[in-house]
Amino acid sequence: MENLRALYPELPDSLLQLLQIVDGTYWRKYGGETIAFYFLGSDLEEYPYYLLSAKQMCRQEELDWLDDYVNREFGEDVEIDDKIIDRADQMCWLHFSDCMNNGGTSRLFLDFSPSAKGTKGQIVRFLHDPDELAVIADSFDEYLEMLMDDEYDFITEETLEEE
């Protein structure tokens, strides 16, 4: 976790505290068992997400695939929240969660480089098909509060295995 804090000095304490309780839910070993467990959600109802581990967050892939979105090179075909910076070369985002299909459709990021209209530490959701970048919370704490207020609507009968 020290490595993660060193890479992202403005990392919210609440994310670090969460990682101390459960350090990732995407094919992680706990008690000798390997699990893949939906642990988070977004503003999309009934759409579950995995929490990446601190190690996975430290091994971030290049986000250059987002450059054309952030630089607004797709025109009006793609919705981009005006709270998001329009210069990919100045982006500082931490990818912390993937949707249930391993991030192919949606990913969540902590944004440490917002536009003048945004807030440092805001939560950005990337959605594919239709492509969209949206700020869904102004902070990680607000994001967690949103999940609680929505009564964890990403947990449904389909996401629970019956024993």
Side-chain angles (χ1 to χ4, degrees):
M1 308 245 190
E2 296 87 29
N3 292 342
L4 188 58
R5 175 70 87 183
L7 289 169
Y8 298 94
E10 297 175 283
L11 196 70
D13 289 336
S14 52
L15 177 55
L16 283 176
Q17 291 167 356
L18 184 62
L19 289 168
Q20 289 171 347
I21 296 168
V22 58
D23 187 19
T25 62
Y26 182 67
W27 301 114
R28 296 278 299 155
K29 283 194 176 192
Y30 290 98
E33 297 281 330
T34 300
I35 65 157
F37 180 71
Y38 306 132
F39 193 73
L40 298 172
S42 76
D43 59 323
L44 303 172
E45 188 176 347
E46 297 181 0
Y47 204 51
Y49 289 72
Y50 299 105
L51 173 67
L52 300 181
S53 70
K55 188 174 184 178
Q56 289 168 317
M57 289 181 209
C58 285
R59 280 187 289 171
Q60 292 291 308
E61 81 282 4
E62 291 296 319
L63 296 179
D64 55 353
W65 61 273
L66 282 169
D67 287 0
D68 290 341
Y69 294 103
V70 172
N71 291 333
R72 312 312 198 261
E73 293 179 11
F74 289 116
E76 294 179 18
D77 295 338
V78 178
E79 286 190 47
I80 310 289
D81 197 308
D82 62 359
K83 294 179 178 181
I84 296 170
I85 196 169
D86 61 0
R87 298 268 321 265
D89 62 334
Q90 295 178 1
M91 245 175 58
C92 181
W93 288 12
L94 170 63
H95 173 209
F96 71 91
S97 185
D98 279 340
C99 74
M100 59 193 273
N101 65 353
N102 307 325
T105 301
S106 185
R107 294 180 181 194
L108 299 177
F109 301 90
L110 264 162
D111 177 5
F112 300 108
S113 57
S115 75
K117 294 181 180 181
T119 305
K120 190 174 278 195
Q122 64 193 10
I123 305 300
V124 174
R125 177 192 29 81
F126 168 76
L127 179 66
H128 174 63
D129 202 15
D131 291 355
E132 174 186 55
L133 281 170
V135 173
I136 62 170
D138 287 335
S139 68
F140 192 75
D141 289 346
E142 186 178 296
Y143 163 72
L144 293 176
E145 194 68 41
M146 176 189 75
L147 297 180
M148 290 184 277
D149 289 348
D150 291 343
E151 299 179 349
Y152 308 100
D153 67 3
F154 56 92
I155 299 173
T156 65
E157 288 183 31
E158 290 82 34
T159 60
L160 296 174
E161 285 186 10
E162 292 185 28
E163 304 219 9

